[in-house]
Amino acid sequence: MLSAALIVFCKKALSADDGAAFLWLADAVAIAYLYRHPVRHWPVLFASFFTASFFAVLWLGLEWLSAVEYTLASLAEIAVAAVLLRKFCPRHDYFSGIRHWLRFVVVSAIVPPLSSASIGSYFVVLNTGAAFTEVFPLWYAADAMGILILLPVLLLYEDANGFRGNWAGWGHCTLVTIAVTALTLVLLEYKSYPFVFISLALVWAATVLNLLASLVVICVVTIAMAGHLTGISGWPKPAGPGVEIPQFGLVLATFAAVMPAYLVAVFTNIERRRSARAVEMESSFRDAVESSRIGVLVVSLEGRVRQVNRSFCDFLGYPEGEILGRSVLDFTHPEDMERSRDLLEKFSANSGQSLCLEKRYSHREGHPVWGELRASVARNIRGEALYILAQVEDIDWRKRSEQGLLEAKERLQVTLASITDAVISTDAQMRVNYMNPMAENLTGWLGRDAEGRPLDAVCHVEGDEDGPDLSTAVASCLGQSRVIFGSGDASLTSLSGHRYDITWSVSPLRRHEGDLLGTVLVIQDVSQQRELIRQLSYKASHDDLTGLPNRDAFKRALQEATREALEDNACHSLVYLDLDRFKLVNDSAGHIAGDDLLRQVSKCLRGHLQKADSVARLGGDEFGLLLRYCDRERARERCQALLGQIAALRFPWNNRVYDVGASAGITEINSRNHHPGDLLSQADVACFSAKRARRGSVMTYDLGKSAAADQHREIMMASVIRDAIDSGRFSLHMQPIAEAANTGRVSHYEFLLRMYDDSGQLLMPDSFVPAAERYGLMLAIDRWVVDETLVKNGGAIATAGFSFALNISADALGDEGFQFYLLGVLERTPVPRGRISFEITETAIISHMDSASRFVTELRRLGCRIALDDFGNGLSSFGYLKSFTIDYIKIDGSFVRQVEENFVDLIIVESIHQIAQRLGARTVAEYVEDEATLRRMASLGVNLVQGYHVGHPRPLEEFLRDRLPGREGYTTETA
């Protein structure tokens, strides 16, 4: 659109009588756009420019064919200019130097217009019959001048980021532009041949403005001149009376008027850039000198300090003001004064050749400091000496280091003679040239006798098979120039035949320049340390009392056996052996007798094992046996024989004879059972099962069918239960208990416990309650159930308005602490106590009759109801009815499940119900799984029924959500 507007402007405003334009600006805009955009965008830009130019020319009144021809001529110029600019001016450095500017002018304003002028003139001649020599100069001059004045402005404005937003700069530029343009128009109107005066005004503008502003002024003034000269203002053209100047002459005159200012603007910009670079370089040089770690001085030819940097001031400790103006000799150390004065005179006399020497200076605090002086003479362009430039590097540290090296060498000699390490140095041919006293002591050689001999003739070192021998190590050290360490089990044999345990290393010895001098062999006598390590290693892996391997050593042997089982499919057996009646010996005869008995048993075990087998004392009276390449059945036979040997052992002590026995547990090590921790646990459990079954027996662990495996699973389940208690992986489900005559009427619900294992699988009570009862975990579970129902969800349950029953274990029924806690919770819970029932099993009552009686009495006093669970399963079920007041009697499901097929079960259920009715208790039939059983219970008069036919258990949270719409994670805690 900008190009189209400029086309119309140039034809309407800058053309005389609709002829050739005096100045053509449209192509400069298109060239700038193409140059600034990637080549992949050019097709779109060409299409856009063609469309805009075509319709602009049509609007001016030309025929469409002429519009196409003249647009194609412009496109040819634009394409040539854009391609040449991208090739020869890729870095946008058009005005950084004369060569760059000339190259820019040639590839943008001189060469491209040739294509446009040639093609356009051809079409003009073809369409109008005009002479080519008349059209071509005007066309070429208009295009060239338009590109020359407008294209740099467009490109520089795109690059001049720092000029944007500088309103003061633009204001200054605008004022100058208006002033020069007004002066130009006045001169054109009232002055004949005014171009010289216009040129002077433009040159003045170019000197006071920066490059971009100068080119803007030149561009505006040129357009104003073109408009005036083509007569758009109606003013007369600037010529004398009766003189007619042709258009091409006016173009040349305009070009001559603006070119001096154009050149001044370009050259002024170049010089400004050069001056800025010079100032920058000088500033950088000053900064470098000031920040240099080397002292720099500018000294007059007479030896007076003119300028000094901070490093020299720090070197001598003087402030800058106390150094300037003084002679350099004032800072020279007195002992070096005469030599420094002579050198200064000779340096000034011999035309100032470069000087370099080390000398001492006097620090402000009075002590000498060493510096390395380098001096040269600075000269002017005629070669005359101006001043002396001196550099002083602080080498005081180096001089002190040299002195320190001399002292260190002396200390090294004394140290080598005093240390307990043997040190032997060799030359590059591996011949001994130095031995310290410790080396003489270990090898048996005197230093003077060993000097010049081959190293392996003086030092006899042996290592293990994997480590390098000494000669090879020294050769590798010389060849590879690196430290070589000997093997950990090396030994040295002295000249007298004495053998030492040693560690050794050999290192390359080099000069300061890097040349290889030889090697240094360092030998440490570690005989005592290795003997101590051997003793400690034995103690760390063996039992002090019996001399057998200990638990750690046995675990290592077990790991090796499991590796063989996994990799070679080998089969071994692990035996866990525990003595019987050992505590009797310890308690009656004393611990000394017990220790002696353990030693005899250990001796017996060692004597009856095969060579490949392993035995260890695992602790106390427990032993571990590893029977290699022995399956489970063979291991059982061998263990029974071994237990027979132990049982036959007689131990006399203090006129008494004791005997002991042993029990053993066996597990097989194979490719399917190879984890050491599991194996030890399996063998331990099998041994424990053997002791429980019958002392002096052997129990084999079988994952699928053994009693030991069952007990192991209980132990593992106990661990899972403990983790579930800690992490709260229990869940409460609710099963309805309904009227037998109408199961739609629910009397109350029983809370049933579920547990999630560590993999998230839901476990039923039958799979974890026996283990919890055996290992004393039911009390913690009962407490969790009470908290979950009466505390955490008490408010929601109270709002829901249903009755429920909680089961109480035997452990809880006999624990006074739990009873006290539960009674306290019942006092505080928002749930009405009349809705709460507690179910107690016969087993719990048998275990804690007195405690249960008192506890039931307290619960009933608070308004809670009591149910006797699993009634009829015990031999004395009816006897409990005399000791307790019961609200519900739950008939054991074993009688209810087959009541239709078993007449005896029917009689028992009917009897229980009749007795309950006489006592005023309601009966509940468990395990009602089908319609026939339900009808039978109703016909017998049983009050309530419970089972899958009545309703499946549902999670408490799900039940509460259905009862309490809008409840989302709602809990009410009371304490």
Side-chain angles (χ1 to χ4, degrees):
M1 297 304 296
L2 180 60
S3 297
L6 289 176
I7 289 173
V8 174
F9 173 75
C10 291
K11 288 298 293 180
K12 289 295 184 179
L14 305 181
S15 299
D17 302 326
D18 291 333
F22 190 91
L23 187 65
W24 192 254
L25 303 174
D27 292 353
V29 175
I31 293 171
Y33 266 88
L34 288 176
Y35 179 52
R36 286 295 186 184
H37 285 77
V39 177
R40 65 178 181 275
H41 295 165
W42 283 16
V44 175
L45 294 174
F46 272 120
S48 301
F49 179 77
F50 178 86
T51 303
S53 177
F54 175 76
F55 284 105
V57 173
L58 286 180
W59 187 80
L60 290 171
L62 274 71
E63 296 181 355
W64 69 270
L65 182 59
S66 298
V68 170
E69 292 171 349
Y70 298 148
T71 300
L72 290 177
S74 296
L75 287 178
E77 179 185 65
I78 294 167
V80 172
V83 170
L84 291 178
L85 281 172
R86 291 184 70 89
K87 179 175 179 58
F88 294 102
C89 302
R91 292 179 297 189
H92 303 179
D93 53 351
Y94 339 102
F95 299 101
S96 59
I98 299 297
R99 291 176 55 191
H100 296 86
W101 177 71
L102 290 176
R103 182 170 57 201
F104 171 75
V105 171
V106 170
V107 301
S108 63
I110 295 179
V111 174
L114 292 174
S115 60
S116 175
S118 300
I119 297 172
S121 299
Y122 170 77
F123 286 131
V124 170
V125 171
L126 188 66
N127 294 331
T128 63
F132 183 86
T133 54
E134 294 179 359
V135 177
F136 179 83
L138 293 175
W139 193 303
Y140 178 83
D143 279 6
M145 185 175 294
I147 293 172
L148 190 62
I149 66 169
L150 183 58
L151 181 60
V153 173
L154 298 175
L155 297 180
L156 284 176
Y157 178 77
E158 189 68 24
D159 291 335
N161 294 321
F163 200 63
R164 299 175 187 178
N166 185 2
W167 301 112
W170 280 116
H172 184 215
C173 175
T174 302
L175 291 177
V176 173
T177 302
I178 294 173
V180 174
T181 304
L183 178 62
T184 299
L185 294 177
V186 170
L187 290 173
L188 288 172
E189 176 64 24
Y190 298 107
K191 182 71 176 176
S192 298
Y193 306 107
F195 298 105
V196 174
F197 302 100
I198 294 174
S199 178
L200 291 175
L202 290 174
V203 168
W204 169 79
T207 59
V208 299
L209 298 175
N210 61 33
L211 179 61
L212 175 59
S214 300
L215 293 179
V216 169
V217 172
I218 293 172
C219 180
V220 172
V221 170
T222 303
I223 293 172
M225 291 174 63
H228 186 279
L229 294 175
T230 53
I232 63 173
S233 62
W235 299 336
K237 296 180 180 179
V243 178
E244 182 67 27
I245 301 176
Q247 181 175 345
F248 185 69
L250 292 175
V251 171
L252 292 179
T254 303
F255 180 79
V258 300
M259 275 310 296
Y262 199 106
L263 293 175
V264 168
V266 172
F267 292 150
T268 301
N269 177 69
I270 293 173
E271 289 303 319
R272 286 172 180 169
R273 291 169 64 93
R274 287 177 181 174
S275 300
R277 283 198 297 269
V279 171
E280 181 181 353
M281 290 179 62
E282 183 178 357
S283 177
S284 299
F285 177 74
R286 290 181 179 274
D287 291 342
V289 169
E290 186 63 27
S291 60
S292 174
R293 298 179 60 184
I294 299 176
V296 179
L297 301 85
V298 176
V299 183
S300 68
L301 298 178
E302 294 78 20
R304 298 285 176 180
V305 179
R306 292 182 179 177
Q307 189 175 349
V308 66
N309 70 345
R310 183 179 298 276
S311 294
F312 187 77
C313 296
D314 295 340
F315 173 57
L316 294 183
Y318 286 93
E320 183 178 358
E322 295 184 16
I323 296 178
L324 296 178
R326 297 175 61 179
S327 172
V328 292
L329 297 177
D330 293 344
F331 306 104
T332 302
H333 192 266
E335 296 181 7
D336 293 346
M337 183 66 70
E338 292 300 325
R339 185 168 68 98
S340 298
R341 183 179 287 107
D342 293 341
L343 286 173
L344 179 60
E345 293 175 356
K346 292 178 180 179
F347 182 72
S348 301
N350 64 2
S351 301
Q353 294 181 356
S354 296
L355 174 68
C356 180
L357 75 155
E358 296 178 357
K359 58 174 293 187
R360 286 175 294 180
Y361 292 86
S362 292
H363 195 272
R364 189 182 186 187
E365 296 178 355
H367 62 271
V369 289
W370 282 89
E372 184 177 72
L373 172 65
R374 292 184 178 89
S376 59
V377 175
R379 302 178 182 278
N380 59 19
I381 195 171
R382 295 183 297 276
E384 299 171 349
L386 298 176
Y387 53 84
I388 300 172
L389 182 62
Q391 298 180 9
V392 179
E393 183 178 0
D394 183 4
I395 61 170
D396 192 62
W397 62 272
R398 191 180 75 192
K399 288 294 185 178
R400 297 183 186 276
S401 298
E402 291 174 356
Q403 181 63 30
L405 287 175
L406 294 176
E407 297 174 359
K409 182 178 180 181
E410 181 63 25
R411 287 195 298 268
L412 180 61
Q413 295 292 337
V414 176
T415 302
L416 288 175
S418 304
I419 62 175
T420 58
D421 291 347
V423 179
I424 303 174
S425 66
T426 71
D427 58 17
Q429 287 73 40
M430 293 191 293
R431 292 189 296 267
V432 176
N433 54 25
Y434 174 79
M435 294 177 66
N436 74 339
M438 189 60 186
E440 294 178 346
N441 184 38
L442 290 181
T443 62
W445 286 83
L446 295 176
R448 61 176 179 273
D449 296 335
E451 189 172 352
R453 292 179 179 271
L455 179 62
D456 54 1
V458 174
C459 195
H460 300 281
V461 175
E462 297 177 359
D464 56 22
E465 296 179 356
D466 297 332
D469 61 80
L470 183 59
S471 299
T472 304
V474 175
S476 299
C477 178
L478 290 170
Q480 302 174 16
S481 187
R482 65 182 182 91
V483 179
I484 306 293
F485 294 92
S487 62
D489 297 326
S491 62
L492 170 68
T493 304
S494 69
L495 192 59
S496 63
H498 191 277
R499 192 180 186 88
Y500 299 93
D501 289 328
I502 64 167
T503 60
W504 60 269
S505 64
V506 59
S507 306
L509 183 63
R510 294 180 173 277
R511 289 193 180 94
H512 178 69
E513 295 81 7
D515 298 333
L516 191 64
L517 292 174
T519 62
V520 175
L521 173 64
V522 179
I523 301 173
Q524 287 183 319
D525 180 9
V526 294
S527 301
Q528 294 181 356
Q529 293 92 317
R530 284 188 185 167
E531 179 60 28
L532 180 60
I533 289 172
R534 282 191 286 267
Q535 294 177 6
L536 292 175
S537 177
Y538 181 85
K539 287 182 176 293
S541 60
H542 287 75
D543 177 49
D544 289 337
L545 178 63
T546 63
L548 293 177
N550 59 14
R551 179 181 287 271
D552 291 336
F554 189 72
K555 284 183 178 179
R556 290 192 291 270
L558 180 59
Q559 289 174 348
E560 177 64 21
T562 57
R563 186 190 63 79
E564 292 176 356
L566 193 60
E567 296 179 359
D568 304 332
N569 202 26
C571 181
H572 311 294
S573 291
L574 173 63
V575 181
Y576 198 96
L577 188 145
D578 187 272
L579 297 182
D580 299 329
R581 299 185 300 281
F582 175 74
K583 188 175 185 300
L584 177 63
V585 178
N586 243 356
D587 293 344
S588 60
H591 290 284
I592 297 177
D595 293 345
D596 193 43
L597 176 59
L598 288 174
R599 282 190 286 267
Q600 291 191 29
V601 172
S602 301
K603 184 177 179 180
C604 177
L605 291 175
R606 273 196 298 251
H608 289 82
L609 293 180
Q610 297 177 0
K611 186 177 180 180
D613 299 335
S614 301
V615 59
R617 184 186 177 203
L618 303 182
D621 59 347
E622 300 168 350
F623 297 87
L625 288 77
L626 183 58
L627 307 181
R628 293 181 177 273
Y629 308 104
C630 180
D631 60 17
R632 183 168 51 210
E633 296 304 322
R634 175 61 181 153
R636 185 183 186 89
E637 295 175 2
R638 292 180 60 186
C639 283
Q640 288 174 344
L642 187 58
L643 295 186
Q645 294 292 331
I646 295 175
L649 186 65
R650 295 295 179 265
F651 177 65
W653 188 267
N654 289 340
N655 300 320
R656 294 185 63 182
V657 177
Y658 298 91
D659 63 341
V660 292
S663 302
I666 303 172
T667 186
E668 188 174 271
I669 305 171
N670 52 45
S671 59
R672 299 179 304 279
N673 190 26
H674 56 81
H675 294 290
D678 294 343
L679 292 168
L680 287 170
S681 178
Q682 293 167 10
D684 188 13
V685 170
C687 182
F688 181 72
S689 300
K691 277 185 170 292
R692 288 184 59 194
R694 182 173 55 86
R695 291 182 182 272
S697 62
V698 179
M699 183 70 74
T700 303
Y701 186 93
D702 188 340
L703 285 173
K705 54 188 177 181
S706 68
D710 294 339
Q711 184 169 357
H712 194 199
R713 278 190 286 271
E714 276 195 357
I715 294 174
M716 299 301 293
M717 178 56 70
S719 176
V720 173
I721 294 172
R722 290 189 187 94
D723 185 60
I725 292 172
D726 294 338
S727 55
R729 293 204 308 269
F730 287 102
S731 174
L732 285 176
H733 287 56
M734 301 173 58
Q735 188 173 31
I737 300 175
E739 298 287 342
N742 181 9
T743 56
R745 294 180 59 187
V746 176
S747 171
H748 59 281
Y749 295 86
E750 180 182 0
F751 279 119
L752 304 176
L753 185 65
R754 304 289 188 264
M755 185 182 76
Y756 293 95
D757 62 11
D758 50 7
S759 63
Q761 181 179 358
L762 187 66
L763 302 180
M764 303 301 287
D766 291 344
S767 61
F768 65 87
V769 167
E773 291 175 341
R774 178 183 294 274
Y775 293 100
L777 299 173
M778 283 304 300
L779 197 61
I781 294 176
D782 285 341
R783 183 180 285 265
W784 182 89
V785 172
V786 170
D787 290 340
E788 192 73 12
T789 54
L790 302 181
V791 178
K792 181 178 180 181
N793 291 290
I797 292 174
T799 304
F802 61 87
S803 300
F804 58 91
L806 300 177
N807 289 278
I808 299 180
S809 68
D811 292 345
L813 198 61
D815 187 86
E816 292 184 0
F818 176 80
Q819 294 175 12
F820 180 79
Y821 173 76
L822 176 57
L823 294 174
V825 170
L826 288 173
E827 293 284 354
R828 298 187 299 271
T829 182
V831 180
R833 291 187 287 272
R835 297 181 185 174
I836 305 173
S837 301
F838 291 97
E839 296 186 4
I840 305 173
T841 63
E842 293 185 32
T843 306
I845 295 175
I846 292 173
S847 302
H848 309 282
M849 180 65 73
D850 295 338
S851 176
S853 178
R854 292 192 300 270
F855 188 41
V856 167
T857 301
E858 285 295 322
L859 292 176
R860 292 186 60 81
R861 183 184 62 80
L862 293 175
C864 300
R865 290 174 292 179
I866 304 298
L868 188 60
D869 199 7
D870 298 336
F871 188 81
N873 194 28
L875 297 176
S876 56
S877 298
F878 291 99
Y880 306 134
L881 300 179
K882 298 185 296 181
S883 304
F884 300 96
T885 302
I886 303 299
D887 297 290
Y888 298 99
I889 294 178
K890 300 191 72 172
I891 305 173
D892 189 72
S894 61
F895 304 119
V896 178
R897 185 182 290 110
Q898 298 180 353
V899 70
E900 288 295 306
E901 293 81 12
N902 193 314
F903 181 73
V904 175
D905 290 345
L906 178 62
I907 296 301
I908 292 173
V909 171
E910 186 176 9
S911 300
I912 294 173
H913 173 66
Q914 290 175 359
I915 294 172
Q917 293 296 104
R918 296 289 182 90
L919 296 175
R922 306 191 74 191
T923 50
V924 180
E926 300 177 324
Y927 290 94
V928 177
E929 309 295 338
D930 51 45
E931 182 64 28
T933 303
L934 174 63
R935 288 198 301 269
R936 176 63 67 181
M937 293 298 106
S939 67
L940 293 176
V942 173
N943 304 108
L944 304 171
V945 290
Q946 177 183 5
Y948 285 169
H949 186 70
V950 179
H952 286 264
R954 296 176 59 193
L956 173 61
E957 285 293 325
E958 178 183 327
F959 184 86
L960 291 178
R961 280 197 298 269
D962 293 344
R963 283 293 188 99
L964 304 173
R967 179 183 187 271
E968 187 66 30
Y970 166 78
T971 59
T972 301
E973 296 198 11
T974 60

